Amino acid sequence: MRKTILVLVPLLVVGLYANSKKINPDEQTTIGGTTVGKYSKPGAPIDMTYKTTKINTNETADVNITLTTTAQSGKVLVSMNIDNNLTLVDNIDTNQSFDITPDKKSFNIDMRVSSKNEGLYYIRLLTKVQTGLHPKLRSFAVPVMVGENPKPVTRGVNFLKAKSGENISVSKAVETIEVIK
Amino acid sequence: MLQKLHLFFLFPLLLILFSGCNTEPVAVGEGSKIIGTVTYDRVPSKVNAYGEVKLDYNNIQLKTAKYVVVKALDENDQVLAETTTNGRGEYVLYVPKNTNVKIRVYARMLKKGVWDLSVVDNTNMKAQYVIEGGLHNSGDGTTKRDLRAASGWDGYSYSGSRDAAPFAILDSINTIMQKVLKANPNIKFPHLLVNWSPNNVAAGGDPSLGQIVTSNYDGNSNLWILGDANSDTDEYDDHIIIHEWSHFFEDKFSRSDSIGGPHSAGDSLDIRVAFGEGFGNAMSAIATDNPIYFDTSGPNQSTGWFMNIESATPENPGWFSEASVQRILYDLYDANNDGTDNLHLGFKPIFNAMIDKERNANAFTSIFTFITALKSENPSKKSAIDNVIAGENISPIRDIYGNYRTNSAQGMYTKPVYRKLEVGKWVTQCNQNTFGVYNKLGNRTYMTVNIDSSDIYTISAKPYGGEYGDPDIVLYKAEYPFKSMGMSPLEGTSSDELTINLTPGKYMAEVYDASFNNSCFVVALNKGAGSLQKTRTNKLKPMMKRRPRRMPQY
């Protein structure tokens, strides 16, 4: 009996501690990211910051996107492509245009999406900054996670462990064979 | 009875002998010979009637896969022979006669002691991309097996696996490596890993999911390349591949002090960023002898943008412009005399300047350090070099600090480029956000510091008129690798100071307003510890988020 109590008490303490930790629902379900301050390949002078909510199937995710440019004037043109597995809940225009002024260089795009299938999907933006001389483009992608730990799908290749132990991604070559002699 | 015993032992022995029996490789020149050529589909770019660039799937070209690893394997996946293709994509292997053999080609360029670079799938446990032929009998003579990595394009979309992409990336890198080798045949390239996947998207997050933000060099011997079809793919955008590889080159053979951040051709940039990005763009044109830098994107990769490295109309020329830097570098290289350019140096002088005096400059890497290095090594060309830079509204460069600037970018505090901070004295410096924040001209002030004796020193920054700011002070040892030695600790205060032990030598202080207001500070350098006290509301700031430091290796 004494031994049983000695075992049970620590287990009880651990269990109580685990349950007493407050779980912040926002931390669990909100995903955010930004390109601000990160290295950019040459392209349009524009950054993107986003916030989305992680959802289960048939739930609705809030997607908040902010585009910020360092251009002093001109236009930002945005063309959005919503993944086939996502459904736009609101009726928003997927092609938008914003005028850049010295006082207005940040632009918000908000939407809601849902999905019937688990997976990692993206809302893709192709932005063009027109400042008069040489318009440039930059692409962004906003992830929407549906379900638990969704992963991207790799199609058409065969992942193997070679005999040497290395991981290889094998595809079939287009091969022609000829007997020479 | 004895016979039965013999059979009893013989049978298992025979079974062991013939089952799981490994094929023995043969020596070179013996056995059956397999020859062949390895090729891949290259999708070229095309500028359409509207001035947009796109990938031209109607004109897919067959290109050879040069210097890639080729292996012959038996039906148990055992390697029987291994080689690499030559500069024409050709290979030769010797395998046992009359054996079922398949040929496997790796997206890996290998020349022992010279280069070793692989393209792997960062979303699939860094699996090495390979293509394989089928198992066929080797016969007893010579057979030719040609293997091609297909693009995966079916005329309308990517329906198949994009096998050509890794080989296209390698071929672009090979182009610039051969250029560098011509300048220095003894050069040895450190190992490089190229991460590419169709899942690589322009999103921040988890790189193992393909969320790589953009194509980039990470400062740690990794290239990351976008592959998101119908949004942004870069595997055939060779100028982008070479631009990113050039950051690898700066890291391993030269030096770059760039702080990264967003940038564009018309920007007035921090001089370090202007040079780093302009150098990458110029290298892409130099490597390919094609001044059209392009980036395709969008549905079916049918849109995009391009810039003419050589002759784009200057938007904001000057020593702070990446576009000016790229035009200067390309003009120094090419044989086409235009405008103020009457010089044709070729690549070797540029290479030599980058790996020696640029690498060891006692000031931040910029157009000033580069041109000073170039002139020093090519004294007979000084006037001609000055003429080239004059075409970009840059007055003659006489030293690594850019003294005697006449072009101020119409900014208030952009000249002089460097100030001198002496022990026991103070200077005023002002920050401006006219051109943007973080990495734009006017955001940061550079100060040269000379120390004569070992002691504790304090650099302090206090408000000086105008808007209040949040000063940050970073101190560098002004010699290769130009490391940051320390940073002032406070955050959210109008004053700050950095106290540090210093030995005699040259240093560089970088002072800026962390909130990027239009503010001014009095900056002083004194012996001894500082007097600024931390208050309860102050906190130590985390290490400043900078572009990952690319620490060159010996």
Side-chain angles (χ1 to χ4, degrees):
Chain A
M1 178 65 177
R2 198 172 166 191
K3 280 185 184 172
T4 309
I5 291 169
L6 280 172
V7 169
L8 282 175
V9 165
L11 287 172
L12 196 61
V13 167
V14 167
L16 283 170
Y17 174 74
N19 281 317
S20 71
K21 274 190 82 174
K22 286 184 184 171
I23 298 167
N24 185 340
D26 283 343
E27 281 176 3
Q28 279 195 316
T29 60
T30 302
I31 308 161
T34 184
T35 61
V36 174
K38 293 197 171 45
Y39 171 73
S40 309
K41 63 171 175 172
I46 191 162
D47 275 305
M48 182 200 65
T49 303
Y50 72 87
K51 210 162 61 169
T52 67
T53 44
K54 194 174 166 185
I55 56 173
N56 290 313
T57 52
N58 299 312
E59 289 180 350
T60 300
D62 289 311
V63 180
N64 308 114
I65 300 168
T66 302
L67 296 170
T68 308
T69 182
T70 54
Q72 303 296 313
S73 63
K75 270 183 167 11
V76 173
L77 306 173
V78 186
S79 172
M80 287 178 281
N81 176 275
I82 316 291
D83 195 294
N84 287 337
N85 288 285
L86 292 174
T87 305
L88 257 182
V89 174
D90 306 306
N91 190 20
I92 70 157
D93 192 350
T94 55
N95 291 299
Q96 298 193 20
S97 168
F98 306 96
D99 289 325
I100 305 166
T101 65
D103 299 322
K104 182 82 178 152
K105 295 184 190 179
S106 273
F107 313 102
N108 296 325
I109 301 174
D110 299 318
M111 67 185 80
R112 291 181 301 160
V113 295
S114 71
S115 179
K116 293 178 185 171
N117 306 307
E118 283 199 5
L120 172 59
Y121 309 118
Y122 290 97
I123 298 164
R124 292 171 171 84
L125 294 85
L126 185 58
T127 62
K128 182 189 275 192
V129 176
Q130 284 181 330
T131 56
L133 269 180
H134 307 295
K136 289 194 176 62
L137 280 69
R138 192 172 292 285
S139 303
F140 301 106
V142 176
V144 178
M145 299 176 81
V146 183
E148 292 296 320
N149 297 320
K151 300 258 186 265
V153 173
T154 304
R155 294 182 299 271
V157 294
N158 195 11
F159 176 82
L160 289 177
K161 201 89 169 169
K163 203 153 187 175
S164 55
E166 59 190 339
N167 293 331
I168 54 174
S169 178
V170 185
S171 293
K172 207 166 154 53
V174 177
E175 186 177 30
T176 54
I177 302 177
E178 184 188 339
V179 177
I180 302 296
K181 59 173 180 179
Chain B
M1 180 64 178
L2 202 58
Q3 276 180 335
K4 280 184 184 172
L5 269 174
H6 280 157
L7 281 170
F8 184 75
F9 286 110
L10 200 58
F11 181 68
L13 279 172
L14 287 170
L15 202 62
I16 291 166
L17 196 63
F18 289 109
S19 68
C21 178
N22 287 334
T23 315
E24 285 298 314
V26 297
V28 172
E30 293 181 4
S32 294
K33 186 176 178 184
I34 300 178
I35 63 174
T37 305
V38 181
T39 56
Y40 73 93
D41 291 348
R42 178 148 209 123
V43 186
S45 64
K46 181 180 175 182
V47 180
N48 67 17
Y50 304 102
E52 286 179 329
V53 67
K54 66 176 209 171
L55 283 185
D56 186 5
Y57 291 100
N58 293 325
N59 287 294
I60 293 178
Q61 299 159 356
L62 201 61
K63 296 284 186 184
T64 53
K66 305 160 189 73
Y67 309 115
V68 296
V69 173
V70 181
K71 297 185 184 180
L73 300 101
D74 68 11
E75 55 199 9
N76 296 315
D77 220 45
Q78 181 194 336
V79 176
L80 298 173
E82 179 175 340
T83 187
T84 55
T85 56
N86 61 15
R88 294 180 298 278
E90 299 160 339
Y91 72 90
V92 178
L93 287 167
Y94 291 90
V95 298
K97 291 182 181 181
N98 300 310
T99 304
N100 286 336
V101 170
K102 65 182 174 184
I103 301 296
R104 179 184 290 163
V105 182
Y106 287 67
R108 177 187 182 194
M109 283 178 59
L110 175 64
K111 187 171 183 180
K112 282 207 171 94
V114 184
W115 61 60
D116 184 358
L117 53 151
S118 299
V119 185
V120 300
D121 185 349
N122 51 287
T123 67
N124 207 359
M125 294 168 65
K126 302 276 190 171
Q128 163 78 67
Y129 285 105
V130 304
I131 57 169
E132 251 179 29
L135 269 171
H136 304 283
N137 197 282
S138 58
D140 59 6
T142 302
T143 51
K144 188 170 193 295
R145 302 194 194 184
D146 292 336
L147 287 93
R148 177 170 73 91
S151 67
W153 186 259
D154 66 5
Y156 301 98
S157 66
Y158 282 123
S159 56
S161 61
R162 289 153 59 185
D163 306 330
F167 294 96
I169 292 168
L170 285 178
D171 210 11
S172 298
I173 295 175
N174 180 59
T175 302
I176 180 62
M177 288 204 304
Q178 296 306 322
K179 204 81 167 188
V180 171
L181 274 163
K182 275 195 184 140
N184 183 348
N186 298 319
I187 203 164
K188 295 173 190 345
F189 298 98
H191 181 257
L192 176 67
L193 199 65
V194 183
N195 297 268
W196 175 86
S197 165
N199 297 315
N200 282 359
V201 299
D206 185 352
S208 72
L209 296 177
Q211 294 165 349
I212 67 168
V213 182
T214 183
S215 293
N216 69 93
Y217 171 65
D218 69 3
N220 204 20
S221 300
N222 278 272
L223 286 185
W224 299 80
I225 305 298
L226 289 171
D228 191 16
N230 304 310
S231 177
D232 201 345
T233 65
D234 282 344
E235 60 264 23
Y236 296 116
D237 295 345
D238 55 2
H239 283 61
I240 291 178
I241 305 294
I242 295 168
H243 173 112
E244 301 308 331
W245 185 93
S246 299
H247 292 309
F248 167 72
F249 172 85
E250 285 179 298
D251 180 20
K252 301 303 181 189
F253 297 106
S254 181
R255 191 183 102 214
S256 172
D257 303 326
S258 176
I259 58 173
H263 60 93
S264 190
D267 286 344
S268 297
L269 292 167
D270 181 290
I271 56 173
R272 299 165 286 185
V273 179
F275 186 78
E277 297 307 323
F279 174 75
N281 293 340
M283 283 284 269
S284 72
I286 289 169
T288 57
D289 283 307
N290 176 6
I292 306 299
Y293 177 109
F294 61 92
D295 185 354
T296 57
S297 54
N300 292 339
Q301 292 60 250
S302 63
T303 188
W305 66 276
F306 71 94
M307 63 177 167
N308 191 318
I309 299 286
E310 164 139 55
S311 60
T313 308
E315 285 181 61
N316 179 25
W319 42 272
F320 40 78
S321 162
E322 71 178 75
S324 289
V325 170
Q326 67 204 31
R327 281 191 293 268
I328 288 168
L329 288 170
Y330 194 71
D331 273 345
L332 292 170
Y333 160 78
D334 75 349
N336 180 32
N337 291 341
D338 54 321
T340 56
D341 168 31
N342 291 306
L343 202 50
H344 168 44
L345 293 178
F347 179 61
K348 190 165 180 176
I350 296 172
F351 170 84
N352 287 340
M354 287 295 290
I355 64 167
D356 184 12
K357 292 188 168 62
E358 176 78 345
R359 176 177 160 103
N360 296 300
N362 297 128
F364 288 126
T365 53
S366 70
I367 190 67
F368 305 124
T369 50
F370 175 77
I371 292 294
T372 303
L374 192 70
K375 281 169 139 181
S376 153
E377 294 181 3
N378 301 274
S380 63
K381 311 280 188 208
K382 279 183 182 176
S383 289
I385 293 170
D386 280 336
N387 283 342
V388 171
I389 66 174
E392 295 295 328
N393 209 359
I394 301 175
S395 51
I397 291 173
R398 302 180 198 182
D399 57 40
I400 60 176
Y401 302 110
N403 284 317
Y404 315 108
R405 294 299 98 210
T406 54
N407 181 357
S408 67
Q410 298 175 340
M412 283 177 63
Y413 308 111
T414 55
K415 298 188 296 179
V417 182
Y418 288 84
R419 287 160 171 81
K420 192 173 178 180
L421 184 60
E422 296 176 276
V423 179
K425 295 187 179 176
W426 53 269
V427 298
T428 58
Q429 68 80 246
C430 290
N431 315 287
Q432 62 177 111
N433 56 25
T434 311
F435 305 116
V437 299
Y438 179 70
N439 65 345
K440 302 301 185 285
L441 186 65
N443 290 162
R444 300 160 193 264
T445 303
Y446 320 124
M447 298 182 181
T448 61
V449 173
N450 274 328
I451 297 295
D452 292 328
S453 59
S454 297
D455 210 327
I456 294 173
Y457 292 84
T458 296
I459 304 174
S460 61
K462 296 178 183 176
Y464 180 76
E467 262 181 78
Y468 267 50
D470 172 13
D472 274 358
I473 305 162
V474 185
L475 190 68
Y476 301 82
K477 188 83 165 74
E479 62 186 34
Y480 179 85
F482 228 92
K483 270 188 161 191
S484 159
M485 299 179 66
M487 183 174 173
S488 55
L490 300 182
E491 187 177 289
T493 59
S494 57
S495 299
D496 206 346
E497 63 188 26
L498 171 64
T499 298
I500 188 167
N501 263 308
L502 295 176
T503 54
K506 291 184 179 181
Y507 298 85
M508 191 71 69
E510 178 187 348
V511 182
Y512 60 96
D513 182 345
S515 47
F516 297 109
N517 290 331
N518 291 320
S519 56
C520 296
F521 305 123
V522 173
V523 181
L525 169 61
N526 291 295
K527 274 193 181 183
S531 58
L532 198 66
Q533 299 296 319
K534 294 189 192 69
T535 68
R536 280 195 309 161
T537 59
N538 296 339
K539 53 184 175 178
L540 289 173
K541 60 171 70 79
M543 273 307 291
M544 179 171 59
K545 281 188 180 156
R546 304 167 69 92
R547 186 181 186 194
R549 294 285 294 174
R550 295 176 294 279
M551 299 299 292
Q553 292 180 355
Y554 297 98

